[in-house]
Amino acid sequence: MYRITLIPGDGTGPEITEAARRVLEATGVGFEWDIQNAGEDVYKREGTPLPERVIESIRRNRIAIKGPVTTPVGTGFRSVNVTLRQTLDLYSCVRPCKTYKGAKTRYDGIDLVIFRENTEDLYAGIEFQKDSEGAGAIIDTVRKISGRSIRQDSGISIKPISVFGTERIVRAAFEYARKNKRRKVTAVHKANIMKFSDGLFLEVAREVAGNYPDIEFEDKIVDNMCMQLVQKPRLYDVLVLPNLYGDIVSDLAAGLVGGLGLAPGANIGDEYAVFEATHGSAPKYKGLNKVNPLAVILSGVMMLRHLGETEAADRLDNAIASVIEEGKDVTYDMKPAPDDPGAATTSGVADAIISRIT
Ligand code: NAD
């Protein structure tokens, strides 16, 4: 019996995580769910969207599956997702993008796994507002130490990339490649322009790659990588990227295999792991039993593999593949036209998968 923290989230989160819970239980693996609420409603009641008890629950159980949580733009609370990643040091964001037969895609045979660094880079949140004291001090310091001038009316975001942060994400990508018998790891960067941040990322990636002679290593500049992925995605296998490029390239890769409704993810550190879809809370569909639960269900498949429940993960993945290939019990976003009257509901997709789990 596995005790797992289950965070339903908000918007359409509760509907899709309920579908995932039912499907995971139908594999026959024993789960005890420690249900913890976070997000908008909790914020209204308790003044914080992420009460300490949610973090404590993950620390206790070490593994969580989570629905999306809305992040207000501009005002309101900080992103629950970013806070969780930072507090629990979930440094690897792992996003597999694989084509399922029957899904609406331009290519078949794509099987990519993206390792996005989750704690550094422009995402570190070290920012200075235009006209602030901090921005002024940085502008002065830069002028003094480098003779370069930054316009006075600039906002500034800092891009830190460390040896420590790079080593552990590149190692995670290679360990994954070795364990899952993948052939190649590609490091993605812009080291030709950002010599001391992306350049360091590349230098450290090369050093780490030296410890894995059994796996091919190459590097690509990020703009070229985007073009290559659109033209020849089948040439690539495991990609490892700093935070911002990882964010953008993983959405590009999700688009290649059928869109956000099919893109699972995991945030993994040395001690804890949180499994969640790549997509957000799609709030306009809240309560309609309409959106696609497959991304969070596929995140559940990743969770089963993480737990070592390989056989159950394979059975669930096969049941999902069979539902997608038949194309009948899928939601509107996977139908040829989005207004297809035969589109399945969120719970209907879960029922169809459950009926096919062997
Ligand atoms: P979104 O992913 O919610 O929606 C983008 C588009 O994809 C919309 O058209 C939406 O309807 C569609 N979509 C998303 N999930 C779908 C699904 N399961 N099935 C079918 N269609 C789906 O992105 P957004 O609108 O930019 O963000 C909404 C909220 O979610 C924001 O507050 C954002 O901050 C938050 N968010 C949370 C997470 C997370 O919890 N990890 C991730 C991304 C965004």
Side-chain angles (χ1 to χ4, degrees), residues 68 73 88 98 110-111 131 142 203 218 222 288 298 300 314 323:
V73 179
L88 299 171
K98 173 171 106 169
I110 299 177
D111 187 4
D131 299 328
V142 168
E203 187 188 318
E218 64 173 8
V222 62
L288 300 182
L298 288 166
D314 289 343
V323 167

Side-chain angles (χ1 to χ4, degrees), residues 174 183-189 201-202 205-206 209 215-221 225 228 235-240:
F174 272 101
R183 73 196 146 83
K184 179 166 82 170
V185 173
T186 306
V188 184
H189 60 86
F201 184 85
L202 176 58
R206 283 188 176 135
I215 296 158
E216 189 187 334
F217 174 73
E218 64 173 8
D219 70 276
K220 284 270 176 297
I221 294 179
M225 186 78 242
Q228 298 262 329
L235 289 185
Y236 298 94
D237 190 348
V238 176
L239 308 183
V240 60

Side-chain angles (χ1 to χ4, degrees), residues 96-163:
C97 291
K98 173 171 106 169
T99 32
Y100 283 88
K101 216 169 166 189
K104 280 191 293 184
T105 58
R106 286 174 200 279
Y107 299 96
D108 52 21
I110 299 177
D111 187 4
L112 295 163
V113 180
I114 295 182
F115 275 73
R116 164 188 173 191
E117 202 287 327
N118 235 355
T119 64
E120 305 198 313
D121 195 0
L122 285 165
Y123 258 77
I126 309 171
E127 299 205 286
F128 299 91
Q129 200 172 9
K130 173 176 90 67
D131 299 328
S132 66
E133 199 183 314
I138 288 173
I139 291 168
D140 289 346
T141 305
V142 168
R143 188 181 305 115
K144 249 186 254 153
I145 60 180
S146 74
R148 306 288 296 269
S149 64
I150 299 174
R151 291 190 184 96
Q152 278 301 331
D153 57 352
S154 297
I156 298 173
S157 302
I158 304 281
K159 173 173 165 136
I161 289 195
S162 69
V163 172

